[in-house]
Amino acid sequence: MDQMPVVQLRHATKRIGSKNIVNDLSFDIPAGEVFGFLGPNGAGKTTTIRMMVGLIKISQGDILIKGQSITKNFNKAIQNVGAIVENPDLYKYLTGYQNLKHYARMVSGVTKARISEIVEIVGLKDRIHDKVKTYSLGMRQRLGIAQALLHSPSLLILDEPTNGLDPAGIHELRNYLKRLAHEEGVAVFVSSHLLSEMELMCDRVGVLQAGKLVSIQNIKDFVHKGGASRVCVTVEPAQTEQAKRLIASLNKITLPEENPGQLLIQMNKDEIPAVNRLLMDAGIQVYSIQMQEQTLEDKFLEITEDKK
Amino acid sequence: MSGLIANESMKIYSRKLTWILLLLLVAVTIGASVLGKMNTKSSEDWRAEAIQLAHQYEERLKITELSPALRADAENKLKIAEYRLENDIPTSPNNPWSALLTFSGLMEMVIIFAIVIAADMVAGEYTAGTMKLLLIRPHSRTKILLSKYIAVSLFAVVMLALLVVFGYATNALFYGLGDIHTTDLFLNRQGQIVQQNVLMQVIKMYGLSIFPVMGYVTLAFAVSTILRNSALAVGISLFIMIVGNSMIEATAKMEGLKYLPFANSDISLYIFHLPARPEMTLGFSISVLFAYIFALTFISWMVFKKRDVSI
Ligand SMILES: Nc1ncnc2c1ncn2[C@@H]1O[C@H](COP(=O)(O)OP(=O)(O)OP(=O)(O)O)[C@@H](O)[C@H]1O
Ligand SMILES: [Mg+2]
């Protein structure tokens, strides 16, 4: 097995004027991983992608794809890459099929059968011979994904691929990308604003803030790490005060509730049974106990707020 | 490389604009042939006709404010008419080859249409945002740019070919297929009258016109690459073409202007012995055009190769 990471960023920096738009990025993506690239608007995600595919020069550092430098060995490096950069801009006056034929002619080994296979995968079979100018945004996005997958790349780079897709399309794409990575060993690099999407799709996330990588970790650690979750306990409204006193006796913090009868408690998952028993023993009527897991959204806001 | 050229050609010929231009070119070529036919009277007595022509040009030469180009033209024609009478050489019968030689004006149309397409080759991809997906393939930028340049050059050649084919076909309907050995009187570089094969002159004129056509194609292509704006590329190229045409006469007075492309951009001037300056030759014009083509190509290449693509 080839153990070399598919992508290696080595202190990649992009300077425009006197500003570092992307600042000293270093990380690897191994084969078979879906890597999520998060960051608020203007963080430098697209700029990083442009450097990765050689559209813009790297001011400092280097980016290697399968060990080949994108700057020094462009052809060798880029042949392993399929990408959508920013919007899936395709030739509007050509049909979807002509677009794919166009890109197929630029690499070796893409057969007609392969084009048909890809068209099937992205679900454009019925419309592939129509002009792209008649496509909806979601259909263009699908065609964009098709052109990126055409030559079976080892690295798939998608800049906000779910933009414009319908829920079914998002679901299919998510499953397809996971399958590509986990079964076929493709490294998938996805940037997106849909944080909940990332949570469902990525194995690891990196958070970019003003051009700097502020966090990079496994999605599970990323979501769950960092202290207690919140638990919402619903009790008989008349017994709210009594329940509050009981919980305070456990040295748990009760957050201000939204509705009468609702208690928001900061605690870990494994403490729930104990709290439950305490309330029951005191004769308090408990209607529900719910873990409120901190979402990626909260986490993301937390991280990006912190670093400001 | 052939795949890249096939791609670029597919993009050129998949657009409606291209077909409108080609149709227009064919229509105007046929139209010009019909007009030409209506203005040709087939006279029985070539001698009377030559005498009448000589008289007409003599009269024209008496006009004092005649422009130098028209004066040179009249002098040439007078010379030929007189030579014809002295040496008893009848006018060659009406034929499609001679008709094609009168179409040099249509070359301007080929140039304008080529400019329109060339101006969009690079800028169009930037405007549509397709440049980024084009450049992230295992091909150097040099090859991508070259394939675009070759594709648009081929398009220009196709237009020249259409002009010749439809021009010939329409005139062949009027005058018959024409004898390929047809000769006529022309003035050579030294201004002497010689008999030359008309077909050879046609081949020379249209074949060498590829240089001025390529000059403008390269100009539009370069502006398109550098400014990334199709409309600007068309505008600037046409502006230079129009200003340039009006500078051909000025070249007669100012020697330095002969090094600009303009006075070198009309090959028919050499077929009919009307160079902008007496010392200018066909070889000189082609060398000047070639130098400009080379310089513009080089600049486009440098810019395209180095540029950050962030749109
Ligand atoms: N050519 C350029 N010249 C100057 N600044 C630029 C240029 N391109 C990008 N920037 C700046 O770089 C920063 C990062 O832009 P980038 O497009 O990479 O952000 P992003 O993370 O992709 O944002 P979004 O989520 O909105 O897509 C922005 O502040 C932008 O203004
Ligand atoms: Mg972006």
Side-chain angles (χ1 to χ4, degrees):
Chain A
M1 257 296 276
D2 187 2
Q3 290 303 316
M4 185 176 37
V6 177
V7 191
Q8 298 165 275
L9 278 88
R10 297 271 170 273
H11 307 288
T13 300
K14 181 66 187 177
R15 190 169 27 250
I16 296 185
S18 59
K19 208 170 134 228
N20 281 355
I21 291 175
V22 172
N23 199 345
D24 198 24
L25 284 195
S26 290
F27 59 86
D28 293 352
I29 304 174
E33 180 178 89
V34 183
F35 182 87
F37 203 43
L38 293 180
N41 288 133
K45 302 182 296 293
T46 301
T47 306
T48 306
I49 290 175
R50 285 183 192 281
M51 284 197 286
M52 289 171 78
V53 296
L55 284 174
I56 60 178
K57 286 183 284 292
I58 303 173
S59 310
Q60 245 163 57
D62 202 358
I63 294 174
L64 309 180
I65 292 160
K66 286 197 126 186
Q68 305 280 359
S69 159
I70 191 75
T71 45
K72 295 184 199 78
N73 243 334
F74 176 76
N75 284 8
K76 283 228 171 83
I78 203 74
Q79 68 187 12
N80 302 302
V81 182
I84 298 182
V85 184
E86 211 129 59
N87 304 308
D89 292 311
L90 293 137
Y91 301 99
K92 293 205 167 84
Y93 51 85
L94 299 181
T95 66
Y97 193 83
Q98 283 176 316
N99 268 283
L100 293 181
K101 209 165 99 187
H102 173 270
Y103 295 117
R105 276 204 278 245
M106 299 185 81
V107 290
S108 50
V110 177
T111 58
K112 265 192 176 157
R114 173 65 183 163
I115 298 182
S116 311
E117 184 191 357
I118 285 292
V119 168
E120 192 90 35
I121 287 170
V122 299
L124 275 180
K125 207 171 162 219
D126 295 339
R127 297 292 302 277
I128 198 67
H129 292 292
D130 291 350
K131 290 240 157 93
V132 171
K133 64 176 160 226
T134 68
Y135 282 16
S136 69
L137 175 60
M139 290 163 68
R140 280 177 209 180
Q141 192 68 259
R142 284 163 193 258
L143 189 61
I145 292 165
Q147 65 76 30
L149 289 170
L150 209 54
H151 52 298
S152 318
S154 340
L155 170 64
L156 187 60
I157 300 177
L158 303 175
D159 200 358
E160 303 185 32
T162 50
N163 185 16
L165 290 186
D166 54 22
I170 293 178
H171 183 81
E172 281 167 35
L173 177 68
R174 184 203 302 151
N175 289 340
Y176 185 69
L177 292 183
K178 275 172 147 174
R179 207 166 67 231
L180 262 186
H182 302 156
E183 287 169 23
E184 293 177 36
V186 174
V188 182
F189 182 101
V190 195
S191 90
S192 172
H193 287 132
L194 291 177
L195 307 175
S196 48
E197 258 312 306
M198 294 252 138
E199 201 172 347
L200 291 169
M201 169 157 86
C202 299
D203 303 312
R204 212 154 54 106
V205 287
V207 179
L208 197 67
Q209 165 81 10
K212 287 206 189 78
L213 194 67
V214 294
S215 158
I216 182 163
Q217 48 195 312
N218 285 335
I219 191 80
K220 299 243 161 51
D221 302 341
F222 187 78
V223 176
H224 299 294
K225 218 175 73 180
S229 311
R230 273 185 301 182
V231 176
C232 177
V233 181
T234 318
V235 299
E236 175 57 39
Q239 297 173 310
T240 312
E241 281 310 306
Q242 194 194 346
K244 258 192 185 172
R245 276 197 301 279
L246 280 166
I247 286 161
S249 73
L250 282 176
N251 282 330
K252 292 284 163 231
I253 308 153
T254 327
L255 304 169
E257 71 272 35
E258 285 155 23
N259 299 312
Q262 259 189 7
L263 302 166
L264 281 175
I265 309 156
Q266 196 90 45
M267 65 179 178
N268 287 325
K269 196 174 179 176
D270 46 14
E271 295 170 306
I272 293 177
V275 171
N276 189 21
R277 201 171 316 118
L278 181 74
L279 293 174
M280 301 257 280
D281 291 346
I284 291 174
Q285 306 214 32
V286 179
Y287 296 126
S288 77
I289 298 179
Q290 269 177 322
M291 276 285 289
Q292 289 198 325
E293 270 186 38
Q294 192 187 23
T295 60
L296 195 49
E297 219 108 3
D298 302 325
K299 186 77 187 180
F300 180 73
L301 287 176
E302 190 185 301
I303 289 180
T304 52
E305 285 301 315
D306 277 1
K307 310 279 166 165
K308 274 205 176 128
Chain B
M1 193 67 196
S2 60
L4 294 184
I5 298 170
N7 272 346
E8 295 307 326
S9 297
M10 172 173 80
K11 287 185 263 182
I12 292 178
Y13 296 104
S14 297
R15 265 175 304 177
K16 252 196 217 113
L17 174 67
T18 307
W19 291 99
I20 292 173
L21 295 182
L22 290 180
L23 273 176
L24 215 60
L25 178 74
V26 169
V28 172
T29 306
I30 294 174
S33 306
V34 173
L35 273 181
K37 161 77 181 162
M38 280 162 30
N39 289 331
T40 342
K41 7 179 210 314
S42 49
S43 63
E44 307 299 306
D45 185 3
W46 66 267
R47 236 174 279 271
E49 196 186 359
I51 291 168
Q52 196 216 326
L53 272 180
H55 188 68
Q56 188 184 325
Y57 290 121
E58 270 167 0
E59 285 303 310
R60 186 175 296 174
L61 286 170
K62 283 182 193 144
I63 306 169
T64 42
E65 61 268 29
L66 199 65
S67 79
L70 285 178
R71 180 172 296 275
D73 183 49
E75 278 168 359
N76 286 347
K77 284 178 176 155
L78 178 60
K79 230 171 162 181
I80 290 176
E82 284 170 347
Y83 185 90
R84 207 182 278 295
L85 291 169
E86 276 167 31
N87 296 280
D88 214 26
I89 302 170
T91 15
S92 43
N94 284 331
N95 67 85
W97 312 119
S98 302
L100 277 178
L101 282 182
T102 63
F103 281 3
S104 63
L106 294 187
M107 207 67 77
E108 304 262 299
M109 189 173 53
V110 170
I111 291 178
I112 292 171
F113 291 176
I115 285 175
V116 171
I117 298 297
D120 204 46
M121 289 304 287
V122 176
E125 299 249 9
Y126 278 112
T127 321
T130 48
M131 189 55 94
K132 43 187 193 277
L133 288 186
L134 185 68
L135 292 184
I136 57 165
R137 315 283 150 178
H139 293 282
S140 65
R141 290 194 185 184
T142 307
K143 267 190 170 180
I144 302 267
L145 191 70
L146 188 62
S147 66
K148 285 185 169 295
Y149 188 64
I150 292 175
V152 72
S153 307
L154 290 176
F155 175 71
V157 172
V158 165
M159 285 200 293
L160 270 180
L162 283 178
L163 175 59
V164 173
V165 168
F166 279 87
Y168 173 79
T170 318
N171 282 291
L173 284 180
F174 301 144
Y175 310 122
L177 293 179
D179 179 359
I180 55 167
H181 301 296
T182 310
T183 58
D184 205 351
L185 296 178
F186 292 91
L187 287 148
N188 69 7
R189 178 131 66 90
Q190 286 74 33
Q192 295 150 337
I193 290 173
V194 284
Q195 273 213 348
Q196 271 172 322
N197 182 296
V198 181
L199 176 57
M200 288 314 291
Q201 293 286 63
V202 169
I203 292 173
K204 188 171 161 192
M205 183 170 105
Y206 285 91
L208 293 177
S209 286
I210 197 68
F211 287 98
V213 172
M214 284 313 296
Y216 281 103
V217 163
T218 313
L219 172 67
F221 192 83
V223 179
S224 170
T225 307
I226 296 161
L227 298 183
R228 291 179 286 185
N229 182 322
S230 320
L232 222 50
V234 173
I236 289 175
S237 306
L238 287 184
F239 178 76
I240 289 180
M241 181 175 159
I242 291 159
V243 170
N245 283 350
S246 65
M247 271 165 72
I248 297 181
E249 296 225 330
T251 310
K253 295 183 203 91
M254 291 172 67
E255 182 170 7
L257 293 182
K258 74 177 179 187
Y259 296 105
L260 290 179
F262 314 119
N264 299 300
S265 292
D266 190 349
I267 299 296
S268 71
L269 294 184
Y270 293 105
I271 303 286
F272 299 112
H273 189 62
L274 298 162
R277 293 182 67 80
E279 77 275 18
M280 287 169 74
T281 64
L282 193 52
F284 172 82
S285 281
I286 289 172
S287 310
V288 169
L289 289 173
F290 196 77
Y292 278 97
I293 290 172
F294 183 79
L296 286 168
T297 312
F298 184 76
I299 297 169
S300 318
W301 175 61
M302 289 307 280
V303 168
F304 190 72
K305 213 167 70 128
K306 296 269 162 67
R307 171 132 61 200
D308 273 4
V309 178
S310 37
I311 46 172

